[in-house]
Amino acid sequence: MKKAKIEKIRPMEGSSFFMSHNKAPLLCHLDFWHFHPEFEIVYVPHGKGRRFVGHKISRYEDGDLILLGPNIPHNAFNFGFESTGYEEYVIQFKSSQIEEMADSFPEFSRIAKLLAAARTGISVNGEARHRIGELIKKMFELPSSFQRLIQLFIVLREMSLLSGDYEDLEASKFLSINSVHAKRIGRVYELIQQEYQNNISTRQIAGELAMTESSFCRFFKSATGKSFKQALTEVRIQKASALLTHSEFSVASIASLCGFNNISLFNRFFKETTQMTPNGYRRSIRVKMETVNSAK
C-alpha cells in the first residue's frame, strides 16, 4: 500500500466548499491513497464494489453513500468498483464552518452532532442513501454557489435525521485516544506500509515501540478494534488487488510480492476480503475495462 498523500482541496472562487461529478472512463481504477482535513461526502449512485477507508476494506451493493471525517486515509472510490459505468458525486467542506454556524444558530446543532459521529466515517444504508443521493444530484444542477450551499445544508440535515440507517466505518478509532498513543498507532501503520512484503512479527513492532509483545497486542486491539495480523493482511490484500488490476504477474507471484508465502493462504484471505478468488477478481476487472474501452 502506498503511503497516503495529503490532498489539497481548492474550492472554486466564490465558494466555501468543493464539489465534483466524475464518470468513467475519465476515472478507471485510479489508485490514489490520500487524506485531507476536510469532511467528504461521496455518492456512488449504482453498482457494487469495495471501499478502502482508513485501514478497513468493506463492501457495498447497489451504490454507496458515505460521509468521512477529516484526515481519514482512503483510496479513490473508483479503485474498488466492480461494476460497469462508474459515476461519483463528491463534496468536501471544512468542519469549522459548520461548527461556527452551530454556535450561532441552534438549527445547526443536529448537523454538528452528525459531524461528530462521522469523524470515524459513516456509510448510509438502505433506500435512505438513494433518497439523500437525489438531493446531492440536485445540488449539482443548481446555478449559483449560494443555492448549492443551501442544498448542502439540506443534505446534511437529512443525514442528521437518520435513525439507525447508517454504519460506523470505524476508520479512525485511535484518533480518540491520547496523542502519544495516536502517534504509536501511526508509527505501526508506517511500518506496515514499508514492510508489508516481508515477514513482520508483533515482537518486531513491539520492539520498535519500546513495548512488550503482549502489551503491544492488547494496545493495538483496543485502539483499532483489530489484531495486528488483521491490519497487515488488509494492507497486503489491497496491494494484491492493485497488482491484479495493473500487472501481468501470476497470482503466485503477486502472493509472494505481497508477503504471502503460502498461495492457499493468500487465496483464502483474498476471498474472505473480496468475496472473489484472485483469478475471478482479475477476470472481472478485465471485463469491466473492456466494456469501458468499447464504449469510448
Side-chain angles (χ1 to χ4, degrees):
M1 187 174 78
K2 299 177 181 177
K3 187 173 182 179
K5 296 181 179 179
I6 187 166
E7 181 185 20
K8 299 291 186 181
I9 307 300
R10 296 181 175 89
M12 293 181 63
E13 186 176 353
S15 180
S16 59
F17 58 94
F18 177 83
M19 51 191 287
S20 65
H21 176 213
N22 305 304
K23 298 179 68 174
L26 192 62
L27 291 176
C28 188
H29 311 300
L30 177 66
D31 186 3
F32 179 39
W33 190 248
H34 62 287
F35 65 96
H36 43 73
E38 291 80 6
F39 274 86
E40 177 170 344
I41 298 172
V42 180
Y43 176 54
V44 179
H46 52 78
K48 65 179 182 178
R50 293 165 300 140
R51 61 175 92 85
F52 300 87
V53 176
H55 296 279
K56 181 177 181 181
I57 303 173
S58 50
R59 293 194 62 84
Y60 63 88
E61 303 278 343
D62 187 30
D64 199 22
L65 173 60
I66 66 164
L67 172 59
L68 292 182
N71 298 315
I72 294 177
H74 56 282
N75 212 328
F77 286 88
N78 66 89
F79 179 72
F81 192 66
E82 297 170 358
S83 303
T84 57
Y86 182 78
E87 181 179 17
E88 69 176 15
Y89 295 83
V90 180
I91 306 166
Q92 295 159 321
F93 57 93
K94 295 179 180 178
S95 61
S96 59
Q97 296 164 331
I98 304 294
E99 290 164 355
E100 289 169 6
M101 295 287 284
D103 288 339
S104 302
F105 301 98
E107 291 85 354
F108 282 84
S109 61
R110 289 190 68 100
I111 295 177
K113 290 179 182 177
L114 167 72
L115 298 185
R119 286 189 173 273
T120 56
I122 62 172
S123 169
V124 179
N125 299 323
E127 193 55 35
R129 66 179 177 269
H130 295 304
R131 175 174 56 80
I132 296 173
E134 288 300 315
L135 296 174
I136 292 171
K137 290 166 71 173
K138 180 181 177 182
M139 181 177 168
F140 283 73
E141 298 168 359
L142 296 171
S144 73
S145 58
F146 178 79
Q147 290 171 302
R148 291 190 290 269
L149 176 63
I150 298 302
Q151 188 70 7
L152 173 59
F153 292 157
I154 293 172
V155 168
L156 292 172
R157 171 68 175 174
E158 288 299 310
M159 294 182 81
S160 75
L161 294 174
L162 294 173
S163 177
D165 288 334
Y166 64 84
E167 171 192 358
D168 184 354
L169 296 178
E170 301 179 341
S172 297
K173 271 189 171 183
F174 60 88
L175 293 180
S176 62
I177 62 179
N178 68 53
S179 59
V180 173
H181 287 180
K183 187 175 181 179
R184 281 180 172 174
I185 294 296
R187 178 58 180 155
V188 173
Y189 280 113
E190 285 179 7
L191 291 168
I192 291 176
Q193 291 166 2
Q194 294 166 9
E195 302 292 337
Y196 68 87
Q197 294 176 302
N198 304 317
N199 289 326
I200 317 173
S201 68
T202 51
R203 178 174 296 180
Q204 288 174 283
I205 301 298
E208 287 280 343
L209 302 180
M211 301 175 72
T212 66
E213 187 174 6
S214 59
S215 294
F216 165 70
C217 292
R218 289 194 300 271
F219 161 71
F220 190 83
K221 179 75 172 180
S222 174
T224 68
K226 67 185 71 175
S227 69
F228 173 76
K229 184 177 179 180
Q230 287 174 306
L232 176 60
T233 298
E234 287 179 356
V235 170
R236 287 172 168 170
I237 294 300
Q238 184 187 357
K239 185 63 177 178
S241 298
L243 288 174
L244 287 166
T245 300
H246 301 293
S247 80
E248 296 298 325
F249 293 131
S250 68
V251 170
S253 295
I254 289 173
S256 179
L257 286 169
C258 295
F260 292 96
N261 296 323
N262 184 307
I263 185 67
S264 298
L265 195 64
F266 169 65
N267 287 333
R268 179 164 68 84
F269 281 138
F270 193 93
K271 189 167 185 179
E272 285 177 359
T273 303
T274 69
Q275 283 72 60
M276 302 177 75
T277 65
N279 279 320
Y281 176 80
R282 174 173 266 172
R283 284 193 298 269
S284 72
I285 292 297
R286 287 181 175 174
V287 168
K288 181 168 62 171
M289 293 179 75
E290 287 171 5
T291 302
V292 170
N293 290 334
S294 65
K296 290 182 180 179

mmCIF file of all heavy atoms in Angstrom, residues 157-190:
data_model
loop_
_atom_site.group_PDB
_atom_site.id
_atom_site.type_symbol
_atom_site.label_atom_id
_atom_site.label_comp_id
_atom_site.label_asym_id
_atom_site.label_seq_id
_atom_site.Cartn_x
_atom_site.Cartn_y
_atom_site.Cartn_z
ATOM 1 N N ARG A 157 -28.662 18.013 6.827
ATOM 2 C CA ARG A 157 -29.817 17.914 7.727
ATOM 3 C C ARG A 157 -30.488 16.553 7.574
ATOM 4 O O ARG A 157 -30.810 15.891 8.572
ATOM 5 C CB ARG A 157 -30.813 19.032 7.414
ATOM 6 C CG ARG A 157 -32.156 18.928 8.126
ATOM 7 C CD ARG A 157 -32.038 19.138 9.614
ATOM 8 N NE ARG A 157 -33.354 19.147 10.255
ATOM 9 C CZ ARG A 157 -33.544 19.200 11.559
ATOM 10 N NH1 ARG A 157 -32.507 19.264 12.373
ATOM 11 N NH2 ARG A 157 -34.754 19.209 12.059
ATOM 12 N N GLU A 158 -30.696 16.107 6.336
ATOM 13 C CA GLU A 158 -31.327 14.806 6.109
ATOM 14 C C GLU A 158 -30.466 13.673 6.659
ATOM 15 O O GLU A 158 -30.979 12.713 7.232
ATOM 16 C CB GLU A 158 -31.579 14.596 4.607
ATOM 17 C CG GLU A 158 -32.702 15.440 4.044
ATOM 18 C CD GLU A 158 -34.037 15.127 4.715
ATOM 19 O OE1 GLU A 158 -34.396 13.933 4.806
ATOM 20 O OE2 GLU A 158 -34.708 16.077 5.161
ATOM 21 N N MET A 159 -29.161 13.795 6.512
ATOM 22 C CA MET A 159 -28.275 12.771 7.066
ATOM 23 C C MET A 159 -28.330 12.768 8.590
ATOM 24 O O MET A 159 -28.245 11.717 9.227
ATOM 25 C CB MET A 159 -26.843 12.992 6.572
ATOM 26 C CG MET A 159 -26.664 12.788 5.080
ATOM 27 S SD MET A 159 -24.952 13.001 4.501
ATOM 28 C CE MET A 159 -24.254 11.406 4.911
ATOM 29 N N SER A 160 -28.496 13.940 9.179
ATOM 30 C CA SER A 160 -28.538 14.039 10.641
ATOM 31 C C SER A 160 -29.812 13.427 11.220
ATOM 32 O O SER A 160 -29.868 13.113 12.411
ATOM 33 C CB SER A 160 -28.419 15.501 11.081
ATOM 34 O OG SER A 160 -29.627 16.213 10.857
ATOM 35 N N LEU A 161 -30.850 13.279 10.384
ATOM 36 C CA LEU A 161 -32.132 12.738 10.849
ATOM 37 C C LEU A 161 -32.199 11.226 10.749
ATOM 38 O O LEU A 161 -33.189 10.619 11.158
ATOM 39 C CB LEU A 161 -33.283 13.353 10.046
ATOM 40 C CG LEU A 161 -33.505 14.859 10.233
ATOM 41 C CD1 LEU A 161 -34.572 15.366 9.268
ATOM 42 C CD2 LEU A 161 -33.882 15.183 11.670
ATOM 43 N N LEU A 162 -31.166 10.599 10.173
ATOM 44 C CA LEU A 162 -31.158 9.150 10.040
ATOM 45 C C LEU A 162 -31.166 8.502 11.425
ATOM 46 O O LEU A 162 -30.468 8.936 12.327
ATOM 47 C CB LEU A 162 -29.929 8.686 9.264
ATOM 48 C CG LEU A 162 -29.853 9.113 7.794
ATOM 49 C CD1 LEU A 162 -28.499 8.733 7.223
ATOM 50 C CD2 LEU A 162 -30.973 8.469 6.999
ATOM 51 N N SER A 163 -31.939 7.460 11.560
ATOM 52 C CA SER A 163 -32.020 6.764 12.846
ATOM 53 C C SER A 163 -31.702 5.286 12.633
ATOM 54 O O SER A 163 -32.550 4.502 12.239
ATOM 55 C CB SER A 163 -33.425 6.916 13.443
ATOM 56 O OG SER A 163 -33.528 6.190 14.645
ATOM 57 N N GLY A 164 -30.448 4.936 12.863
ATOM 58 C CA GLY A 164 -30.045 3.542 12.690
ATOM 59 C C GLY A 164 -29.847 3.132 11.254
ATOM 60 O O GLY A 164 -29.618 1.951 10.972
ATOM 61 N N ASP A 165 -29.944 4.073 10.310
ATOM 62 C CA ASP A 165 -29.794 3.760 8.893
ATOM 63 C C ASP A 165 -28.371 3.990 8.403
ATOM 64 O O ASP A 165 -28.144 4.213 7.222
ATOM 65 C CB ASP A 165 -30.756 4.614 8.047
ATOM 66 C CG ASP A 165 -32.197 4.174 8.211
ATOM 67 O OD1 ASP A 165 -32.408 2.994 8.533
ATOM 68 O OD2 ASP A 165 -33.091 5.005 8.012
ATOM 69 N N TYR A 166 -27.413 3.950 9.309
ATOM 70 C CA TYR A 166 -26.032 4.092 8.869
ATOM 71 C C TYR A 166 -25.110 3.221 9.706
ATOM 72 O O TYR A 166 -25.456 2.781 10.802
ATOM 73 C CB TYR A 166 -25.580 5.557 8.914
ATOM 74 C CG TYR A 166 -25.550 6.183 10.288
ATOM 75 C CD1 TYR A 166 -24.446 6.029 11.123
ATOM 76 C CD2 TYR A 166 -26.622 6.943 10.753
ATOM 77 C CE1 TYR A 166 -24.409 6.609 12.377
ATOM 78 C CE2 TYR A 166 -26.587 7.523 12.007
ATOM 79 C CZ TYR A 166 -25.488 7.352 12.814
ATOM 80 O OH TYR A 166 -25.444 7.917 14.064
ATOM 81 N N GLU A 167 -23.932 2.976 9.161
ATOM 82 C CA GLU A 167 -22.938 2.118 9.792
ATOM 83 C C GLU A 167 -21.680 2.925 10.072
ATOM 84 O O GLU A 167 -21.236 3.709 9.230
ATOM 85 C CB GLU A 167 -22.604 0.958 8.851
ATOM 86 C CG GLU A 167 -21.426 0.104 9.270
ATOM 87 C CD GLU A 167 -20.968 -0.829 8.172
ATOM 88 O OE1 GLU A 167 -21.588 -0.837 7.092
ATOM 89 O OE2 GLU A 167 -19.964 -1.530 8.388
ATOM 90 N N ASP A 168 -21.126 2.758 11.257
ATOM 91 C CA ASP A 168 -19.859 3.390 11.605
ATOM 92 C C ASP A 168 -18.729 2.620 10.933
ATOM 93 O O ASP A 168 -18.561 1.421 11.159
ATOM 94 C CB ASP A 168 -19.679 3.378 13.123
ATOM 95 C CG ASP A 168 -18.422 4.112 13.592
ATOM 96 O OD1 ASP A 168 -17.624 4.530 12.744
ATOM 97 O OD2 ASP A 168 -18.264 4.265 14.813
ATOM 98 N N LEU A 169 -17.967 3.295 10.070
ATOM 99 C CA LEU A 169 -16.867 2.636 9.373
ATOM 100 C C LEU A 169 -15.654 2.402 10.273
ATOM 101 O O LEU A 169 -14.725 1.694 9.881
ATOM 102 C CB LEU A 169 -16.448 3.457 8.146
ATOM 103 C CG LEU A 169 -17.511 3.586 7.051
ATOM 104 C CD1 LEU A 169 -16.990 4.456 5.914
ATOM 105 C CD2 LEU A 169 -17.912 2.213 6.522
ATOM 106 N N GLU A 170 -15.645 3.029 11.439
ATOM 107 C CA GLU A 170 -14.579 2.819 12.426
ATOM 108 C C GLU A 170 -13.193 3.007 11.819
ATOM 109 O O GLU A 170 -12.242 2.289 12.122
ATOM 110 C CB GLU A 170 -14.696 1.416 13.048
ATOM 111 C CG GLU A 170 -16.032 1.183 13.727
ATOM 112 C CD GLU A 170 -16.156 -0.211 14.313
ATOM 113 O OE1 GLU A 170 -15.386 -1.094 13.891
ATOM 114 O OE2 GLU A 170 -17.015 -0.414 15.174
ATOM 115 N N ALA A 171 -13.078 4.009 10.943
ATOM 116 C CA ALA A 171 -11.844 4.185 10.178
ATOM 117 C C ALA A 171 -10.728 4.822 10.982
ATOM 118 O O ALA A 171 -9.565 4.700 10.621
ATOM 119 C CB ALA A 171 -12.126 5.041 8.938
ATOM 120 N N SER A 172 -11.050 5.514 12.054
ATOM 121 C CA SER A 172 -10.003 6.205 12.811
ATOM 122 C C SER A 172 -10.258 6.095 14.309
ATOM 123 O O SER A 172 -10.211 7.070 15.029
ATOM 124 C CB SER A 172 -9.938 7.680 12.405
ATOM 125 O OG SER A 172 -9.593 7.825 11.069
ATOM 126 N N LYS A 173 -10.540 4.888 14.766
ATOM 127 C CA LYS A 173 -10.840 4.703 16.189
ATOM 128 C C LYS A 173 -9.760 5.293 17.082
ATOM 129 O O LYS A 173 -10.037 5.869 18.121
ATOM 130 C CB LYS A 173 -10.972 3.208 16.493
ATOM 131 C CG LYS A 173 -12.366 2.641 16.315
ATOM 132 C CD LYS A 173 -12.400 1.232 16.857
ATOM 133 C CE LYS A 173 -13.834 0.716 16.900
ATOM 134 N NZ LYS A 173 -13.902 -0.635 17.483
ATOM 135 N N PHE A 174 -8.510 5.133 16.655
ATOM 136 C CA PHE A 174 -7.406 5.549 17.521
ATOM 137 C C PHE A 174 -7.284 7.055 17.654
ATOM 138 O O PHE A 174 -6.532 7.543 18.490
ATOM 139 C CB PHE A 174 -6.083 4.966 17.017
ATOM 140 C CG PHE A 174 -5.716 5.374 15.628
ATOM 141 C CD1 PHE A 174 -5.003 6.534 15.403
ATOM 142 C CD2 PHE A 174 -6.062 4.588 14.548
ATOM 143 C CE1 PHE A 174 -4.648 6.912 14.125
ATOM 144 C CE2 PHE A 174 -5.708 4.963 13.262
ATOM 145 C CZ PHE A 174 -5.005 6.121 13.052
ATOM 146 N N LEU A 175 -8.026 7.838 16.839
ATOM 147 C CA LEU A 175 -7.930 9.292 16.952
ATOM 148 C C LEU A 175 -8.506 9.801 18.273
ATOM 149 O O LEU A 175 -8.225 10.925 18.677
ATOM 150 C CB LEU A 175 -8.661 9.954 15.776
ATOM 151 C CG LEU A 175 -8.031 9.735 14.395
ATOM 152 C CD1 LEU A 175 -8.850 10.452 13.339
ATOM 153 C CD2 LEU A 175 -6.596 10.202 14.357
ATOM 154 N N SER A 176 -9.330 8.978 18.915
ATOM 155 C CA SER A 176 -9.955 9.418 20.167
ATOM 156 C C SER A 176 -9.050 9.187 21.380
ATOM 157 O O SER A 176 -9.356 9.640 22.471
ATOM 158 C CB SER A 176 -11.280 8.669 20.378
ATOM 159 O OG SER A 176 -11.038 7.277 20.498
ATOM 160 N N ILE A 177 -7.934 8.476 21.184
ATOM 161 C CA ILE A 177 -7.052 8.246 22.309
ATOM 162 C C ILE A 177 -6.032 9.364 22.393
ATOM 163 O O ILE A 177 -5.983 10.243 21.546
ATOM 164 C CB ILE A 177 -6.374 6.860 22.191
ATOM 165 C CG1 ILE A 177 -5.508 6.800 20.923
ATOM 166 C CG2 ILE A 177 -7.408 5.772 22.162
ATOM 167 C CD1 ILE A 177 -4.803 5.473 20.755
ATOM 168 N N ASN A 178 -5.196 9.338 23.450
ATOM 169 C CA ASN A 178 -4.289 10.468 23.647
ATOM 170 C C ASN A 178 -3.228 10.547 22.558
ATOM 171 O O ASN A 178 -3.011 9.597 21.801
ATOM 172 C CB ASN A 178 -3.655 10.397 25.043
ATOM 173 C CG ASN A 178 -2.708 9.226 25.195
ATOM 174 O OD1 ASN A 178 -1.795 9.033 24.409
ATOM 175 N ND2 ASN A 178 -2.916 8.431 26.236
ATOM 176 N N SER A 179 -2.579 11.691 22.465
ATOM 177 C CA SER A 179 -1.685 11.965 21.348
ATOM 178 C C SER A 179 -0.494 11.013 21.288
ATOM 179 O O SER A 179 -0.022 10.663 20.208
ATOM 180 C CB SER A 179 -1.186 13.416 21.428
ATOM 181 O OG SER A 179 -0.496 13.648 22.648
ATOM 182 N N VAL A 180 -0.006 10.573 22.451
ATOM 183 C CA VAL A 180 1.125 9.637 22.468
ATOM 184 C C VAL A 180 0.717 8.314 21.837
ATOM 185 O O VAL A 180 1.424 7.744 21.002
ATOM 186 C CB VAL A 180 1.627 9.417 23.910
ATOM 187 C CG1 VAL A 180 2.688 8.319 23.940
ATOM 188 C CG2 VAL A 180 2.189 10.721 24.481
ATOM 189 N N HIS A 181 -0.478 7.805 22.203
ATOM 190 C CA HIS A 181 -0.961 6.553 21.649
ATOM 191 C C HIS A 181 -1.276 6.703 20.165
ATOM 192 O O HIS A 181 -1.010 5.789 19.377
ATOM 193 C CB HIS A 181 -2.202 6.077 22.409
ATOM 194 C CG HIS A 181 -1.878 5.562 23.772
ATOM 195 N ND1 HIS A 181 -2.831 5.077 24.631
ATOM 196 C CD2 HIS A 181 -0.689 5.459 24.428
ATOM 197 C CE1 HIS A 181 -2.246 4.693 25.765
ATOM 198 N NE2 HIS A 181 -0.955 4.918 25.655
ATOM 199 N N ALA A 182 -1.856 7.824 19.775
ATOM 200 C CA ALA A 182 -2.155 8.054 18.358
ATOM 201 C C ALA A 182 -0.874 8.038 17.532
ATOM 202 O O ALA A 182 -0.836 7.494 16.426
ATOM 203 C CB ALA A 182 -2.885 9.386 18.187
ATOM 204 N N LYS A 183 0.183 8.625 18.076
ATOM 205 C CA LYS A 183 1.469 8.630 17.381
ATOM 206 C C LYS A 183 1.999 7.210 17.234
ATOM 207 O O LYS A 183 2.555 6.843 16.189
ATOM 208 C CB LYS A 183 2.462 9.501 18.146
ATOM 209 C CG LYS A 183 3.781 9.709 17.418
ATOM 210 C CD LYS A 183 4.672 10.679 18.183
ATOM 211 C CE LYS A 183 5.992 10.898 17.440
ATOM 212 N NZ LYS A 183 6.872 11.862 18.172
ATOM 213 N N ARG A 184 1.818 6.388 18.259
ATOM 214 C CA ARG A 184 2.268 4.993 18.190
ATOM 215 C C ARG A 184 1.519 4.227 17.104
ATOM 216 O O ARG A 184 2.116 3.477 16.329
ATOM 217 C CB ARG A 184 2.047 4.308 19.544
ATOM 218 C CG ARG A 184 3.107 4.630 20.588
ATOM 219 C CD ARG A 184 2.794 3.910 21.882
ATOM 220 N NE ARG A 184 3.883 4.039 22.847
ATOM 221 C CZ ARG A 184 3.817 3.597 24.094
ATOM 222 N NH1 ARG A 184 2.702 3.006 24.522
ATOM 223 N NH2 ARG A 184 4.847 3.732 24.898
ATOM 224 N N ILE A 185 0.195 4.409 17.053
ATOM 225 C CA ILE A 185 -0.592 3.716 16.033
ATOM 226 C C ILE A 185 -0.157 4.165 14.637
ATOM 227 O O ILE A 185 -0.026 3.349 13.713
ATOM 228 C CB ILE A 185 -2.096 3.974 16.229
ATOM 229 C CG1 ILE A 185 -2.577 3.336 17.534
ATOM 230 C CG2 ILE A 185 -2.901 3.424 15.050
ATOM 231 C CD1 ILE A 185 -2.480 1.835 17.563
ATOM 232 N N GLY A 186 0.061 5.459 14.473
ATOM 233 C CA GLY A 186 0.532 5.963 13.194
ATOM 234 C C GLY A 186 1.851 5.332 12.797
ATOM 235 O O GLY A 186 2.071 4.991 11.631
ATOM 236 N N ARG A 187 2.744 5.145 13.781
ATOM 237 C CA ARG A 187 4.039 4.508 13.509
ATOM 238 C C ARG A 187 3.859 3.054 13.093
ATOM 239 O O ARG A 187 4.555 2.565 12.186
ATOM 240 C CB ARG A 187 4.931 4.604 14.754
ATOM 241 C CG ARG A 187 6.286 3.932 14.610
ATOM 242 C CD ARG A 187 7.091 4.504 13.461
ATOM 243 N NE ARG A 187 8.385 3.854 13.350
ATOM 244 C CZ ARG A 187 9.081 3.781 12.216
ATOM 245 N NH1 ARG A 187 8.585 4.316 11.094
ATOM 246 N NH2 ARG A 187 10.252 3.187 12.184
ATOM 247 N N VAL A 188 2.912 2.355 13.706
ATOM 248 C CA VAL A 188 2.653 0.965 13.332
ATOM 249 C C VAL A 188 2.253 0.877 11.865
ATOM 250 O O VAL A 188 2.774 0.044 11.102
ATOM 251 C CB VAL A 188 1.550 0.351 14.216
ATOM 252 C CG1 VAL A 188 1.165 -1.037 13.702
ATOM 253 C CG2 VAL A 188 2.019 0.248 15.656
ATOM 254 N N TYR A 189 1.353 1.761 11.438
ATOM 255 C CA TYR A 189 0.901 1.704 10.054
ATOM 256 C C TYR A 189 1.985 2.150 9.078
ATOM 257 O O TYR A 189 2.043 1.672 7.939
ATOM 258 C CB TYR A 189 -0.376 2.527 9.885
ATOM 259 C CG TYR A 189 -1.606 1.780 10.345
ATOM 260 C CD1 TYR A 189 -2.332 2.197 11.454
ATOM 261 C CD2 TYR A 189 -2.018 0.635 9.686
ATOM 262 C CE1 TYR A 189 -3.455 1.501 11.882
ATOM 263 C CE2 TYR A 189 -3.126 -0.077 10.102
ATOM 264 C CZ TYR A 189 -3.835 0.359 11.194
ATOM 265 O OH TYR A 189 -4.942 -0.351 11.609
ATOM 266 N N GLU A 190 2.861 3.037 9.495
ATOM 267 C CA GLU A 190 4.011 3.378 8.660
ATOM 268 C C GLU A 190 4.885 2.148 8.432
ATOM 269 O O GLU A 190 5.349 1.896 7.313
ATOM 270 C CB GLU A 190 4.838 4.482 9.327
ATOM 271 C CG GLU A 190 4.233 5.877 9.248
ATOM 272 C CD GLU A 190 5.115 6.897 9.948
ATOM 273 O OE1 GLU A 190 6.237 6.536 10.355
ATOM 274 O OE2 GLU A 190 4.675 8.050 10.088
#
